[in-house]
């Protein structure tokens, strides 16, 4: 699967960080950008595949998707509120 043609406003490299590190980095990143911005988190932690989508839904943002890359996954989220 390829990453959709979406402009990423902020990219956070959390590769090598273990749960809940990547999700905490995402939360910090979301807080630092205006509504409508798109944030990508790069994570090599397998737990992120479950944790990040659940947090995004609970927080009321838009989960655009999880896109596997070589050795990590790119999680893309749009801040909606």
């Amino acid at each position: 699967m390829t990453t959709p043609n979406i402009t990423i406003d902020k990219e956070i490299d959390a590769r090598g960080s273990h749960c809940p590190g990547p999700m905490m980095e995402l939360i910090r990143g979301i807080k630092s950008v205006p509504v409508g911005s798109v944030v990508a988190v790069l994570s090599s932690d397998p737990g992120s595949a479950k944790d990040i989508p659940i947090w995004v839904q609970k927080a009321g943002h838009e989960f655009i998707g999880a896109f596997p890359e070589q050795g990590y996954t790119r999680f893309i989220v749009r801040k909606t509120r």
Side-chain angles (χ1 to χ4, degrees), residues 5-78:
N5 190 15
I6 293 175
T7 301
I8 304 295
D9 298 300
K10 182 177 188 80
E11 184 166 270
I12 301 161
D13 189 348
R15 291 177 289 187
S17 179
H18 299 287
C19 194
M23 188 175 68
M24 299 310 291
E25 292 288 333
L26 172 61
I27 292 168
R28 217 177 344 262
I30 286 284
K31 287 180 177 176
S32 74
V33 298
V35 171
S37 297
V38 176
V39 178
V41 178
L42 314 182
S43 176
S44 54
D45 179 28
S48 295
K50 187 179 95 175
D51 297 342
I52 288 176
I54 289 171
W55 177 81
V56 171
Q57 183 180 21
K58 283 183 181 176
H61 300 297
E62 177 189 353
F63 183 67
I64 295 171
F67 303 92
E69 304 283 350
Q70 192 164 350
Y72 66 96
T73 302
R74 181 184 311 267
F75 296 90
I76 303 179
V77 178
R78 178 175 284 117

